[in-house]
Amino acid sequence: MPRPRPSKSQLTPRPAPAASPVTFRAGCAREWVVTTSEPDLAYTEQAFPECPACPHRVEPEGTPPFCTLRPAGTAHPFAALAGLDLPE
């Protein structure tokens, strides 16, 4: 049996979260305050001397390298994996 179609009011997109100043931190501990509603940003300038050798640098195929900037004070997305006890 087909499902009923949603009404037009149910299809209205929710407003995006309001942009606010957020302090973002790079892997090298540099910080930038940016007004945004994004959860993380990519730093593509790579302007610091240590950027080419930085272990936090991401080098995707076909696009320029970047560093992921995360809000200061948030855990790394893979931090929970550090406590895993994997069987051999």
Side-chain angles (χ1 to χ4, degrees):
M1 178 176 197
R3 292 171 44 184
R5 294 184 73 187
S7 69
K8 187 173 182 179
S9 65
Q10 291 172 318
L11 295 176
T12 304
R14 293 182 185 169
S20 60
V22 178
T23 301
F24 285 92
R25 181 177 294 138
C28 63
R30 286 185 173 86
E31 294 184 350
W32 291 267
V33 177
V34 180
T35 300
T36 183
S37 59
E38 298 299 322
D40 57 21
L41 300 174
Y43 172 65
T44 58
E45 188 177 359
Q46 306 287 291
F48 303 104
E50 65 274 22
C51 286
C54 179
H56 301 277
R57 180 180 165 113
V58 178
E59 296 186 20
E61 203 170 303
T63 62
F66 66 90
C67 182
T68 300
L69 303 178
R70 292 187 184 85
T74 59
H76 187 281
F78 300 126
L81 298 176
L84 288 179
D85 185 17
L86 300 174
E88 291 186 34

